[in-house]
DNA sequence: GTCTATAGTAGGATAGAC
DNA sequence: GTCTATCCTACTATAGAC
C-alpha cells in the first residue's frame, strides 16, 4: 500500500471516529505510519486530505448500498435489504456524522461529498419505491420521494439515538419502525 | 446577567454552532464578555462548563417540546404539533448534533445529558401514542414504542439530510413523511 | 468574583536534507 | 517521495493581583 493510500485510509478512519475538528494531521500520520513530508507532498493540507478520505468513504458506502438495492427481488425485499445492511450504530454513519460537523459544512468541497452521497441514495431509494408502486406492491397513493426521505432520515436518526443512549437497540427500534412502515404500505396495495 | 450565566449561555450557543472540539474557551470568553478568571472561578474547565451549557439547552428544549405535546387536543394533533415545532434545519438539533460528537460521547457526564433528553422525549411520545391507541385514534396494532422511535429518528435524520444538502427542504420532506405515517395510522383505526 | 499575565502542550504548515 | 527539524499560532489551564 502506498503512503498516499495509507494516509487516505487512516484519515477516513479518524474522521469517522473523531470528526474533522477532532482529527489532527499528527494522528493521521501516526496511524498511517508516515511522516509530515508524505502528507504535504500528496495533499495541500488537512482539508485536501479530508476531501480525498471522504470521497473514498462515500464510494465504499455507495458500493455496499447498491448491492442491497440492486437485484431482481421485489421492491419490498430490496428496501428491507437496505434497512438490514450491517451497520455499527454506536460508531454512527460515516457521511451522516460528517454532515453534522461544522468544519465539513463550512467547506464547500467537503460538504459536496455528503450532498452527493445522500443525493444519490435518495434517488436510488425513490427509484426502487417507484418500481414498487408501478408493480402494484405499494398503495397507489404512495409518494416515493417522501418515503425515500423517510427511510434515509430514519436510519440517520437511529444512529443519533443510539449514540445518545450508547445503545444499539435504539438504532434497531427506529429501523424497525421504518420496516413497519414499508410493510404497511405493502399490506393494502389496493387502498390508495 | 451574571458572568456565570453569560458563560453558560455563550457556551451553549457555540456548542450548537461548532460542536465540542470546535469550541475553545477563548471563543466562549469573548462571546460572554468575560475573562479567564471568571470561567475558572465558576467552572473547573471546559468540560464542566459544557455540562452546564448542555443542561441548560436540554431544559429549554424540554419546555418547548412539552408545550407541543401537552394539552387537551387529540393525540394526532399533539404529535403534529411536535412535528411542526419551529426548528432551524441547517443549524441542526442542539442535542442531536452533540450526540454525534466524539468528545461528548466519550464523556459520561456530557453524554448523559443527551441520553436523558432523548429518553424523556421517547417516553413522552410513547405516552401520547398510547393515549391515542386507547382513544381509538390509531389502529389497535399500533406499537407506541416503535412509532415514538420512528418519529424521533425522522426529525433527527431530517436535520442530517438538511445539513448535508444545505437545504431546509430536505428536512421538511423527512418530517412530511412522518406526518404521513401518523395520518395513515389514524386513517384506518379499525384495521389492526 | 473578575482581571491580566504567563506557561506548557498540541495543531497545522514549511524548509531543506536525503 | 519521504524524512526530520523547525516555526508560529491557538488551546487549555494556572498564578497572582485587584
Amino acid at each position: 500500500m502506498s503512503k498516499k493510500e495509507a494516509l487516505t485510509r487512516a484519515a477516513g478512519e479518524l474522521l469517522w471516529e473523531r470528526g474533522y475538528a477532532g482529527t489532527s494531521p499528527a494522528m493521521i500520520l501516526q496511524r498511517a505510519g508516515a511522516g509530515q513530508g508524505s502528507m504535504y507532498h500528496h495533499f495541500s493540507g488537512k482539508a485536501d486530505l479530508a476531501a480525498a478520505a471522504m470521497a473514498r468513504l462515500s464510494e465504499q458506502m455507495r458500493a455496499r448500498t447498491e448491492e442491497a438495492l440492486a437485484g431482481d427481488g421485489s421492491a419490498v425485499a430490496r428496501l428491507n435489504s437496505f434497512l438490514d445492511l450491517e451497520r455499527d450504530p454506536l460508531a454512527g454513519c460515516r457521511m451522516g456524522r460528517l454532515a453534522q460537523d461544522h468544519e465539513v459544512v463550512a467547506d464547500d468541497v467537503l460538504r459536496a461529498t455528503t450532498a452527493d452521497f445522500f443525493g444519490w441514495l435518495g434517488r436510488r431509494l425513490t427509484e426502487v419505491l417507484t418500481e414498487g408502486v408501478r408493480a402494484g406492491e405499494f398503495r397507489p397513493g404512495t409518494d416515493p420521494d417522501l418515503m425515500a426521505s423517510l427511510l434515509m432520515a430514519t436510519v440517520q436518526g437511529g444512529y443519533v439515538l443510539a449514540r445518545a443512549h450508547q445503545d444499539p437497540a435504539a438504532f434497531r427500534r427506529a429501523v424497525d419502525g421504518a420496516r413497519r412502515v414499508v410493510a404497511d404500505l405493502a399490506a393494502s396495495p389496493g387502498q390508495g
Side-chain angles (χ1 to χ4, degrees), chain A:
Chain A
M1 183 167 49
S2 71
K3 291 282 181 186
K4 182 172 182 178
E5 203 180 324
L7 285 163
T8 310
R9 175 191 301 262
E13 290 174 9
L14 283 162
L15 285 174
W16 186 22
E17 292 169 18
R18 316 180 53 96
Y20 187 90
T23 298
S24 72
M27 290 177 198
I28 299 171
L29 297 175
Q30 185 180 12
R31 184 169 302 200
Q36 298 269 75
S38 293
M39 172 174 154
Y40 286 100
H41 174 75
H42 293 293
F43 304 97
S44 69
K46 180 182 174 180
D48 190 34
L49 172 50
M54 286 181 63
R56 184 174 174 275
L57 294 177
S58 172
E59 185 44 51
Q60 291 174 340
M61 291 176 69
R62 260 159 104 134
R64 252 173 58 86
T65 306
E66 183 56 32
E67 259 185 72
L69 289 177
D72 299 336
S74 69
V76 171
R78 287 185 281 157
L79 293 175
N80 278 323
S81 290
F82 165 70
L83 293 173
D84 288 339
L85 275 171
E86 193 183 324
R87 296 182 173 96
D88 184 346
L90 297 189
C93 172
R94 293 157 180 82
M95 285 296 120
R97 284 270 308 286
L98 289 167
Q100 298 279 55
D101 238 80
H102 172 77
E103 293 82 1
V104 169
V105 169
D107 181 317
D108 282 343
V109 175
L110 299 181
R111 191 188 57 75
T113 309
T114 69
D116 287 349
F117 174 76
F118 287 112
W120 171 82
L121 178 57
R123 284 192 301 277
R124 282 300 283 124
L125 290 171
T126 300
E127 285 168 10
V128 173
L129 281 155
T130 301
E131 290 165 23
V133 171
R134 284 212 191 103
E137 286 185 60
F138 298 124
R139 313 183 195 178
T142 302
D143 182 333
D145 210 48
L146 218 59
M147 286 303 133
S149 282
L150 182 69
L151 295 181
M152 283 190 291
T154 308
V155 170
Q156 290 301 314
Y159 278 121
V160 173
L161 297 173
R163 281 178 66 88
H165 290 295
Q166 206 66 336
D167 182 1
F171 178 84
R172 284 196 297 271
R173 270 197 299 279
V175 171
D176 283 347
R179 236 187 298 270
R180 173 71 66 92
V181 168
V182 171
D184 283 354
L185 283 177
S188 48
Q191 174 169 315

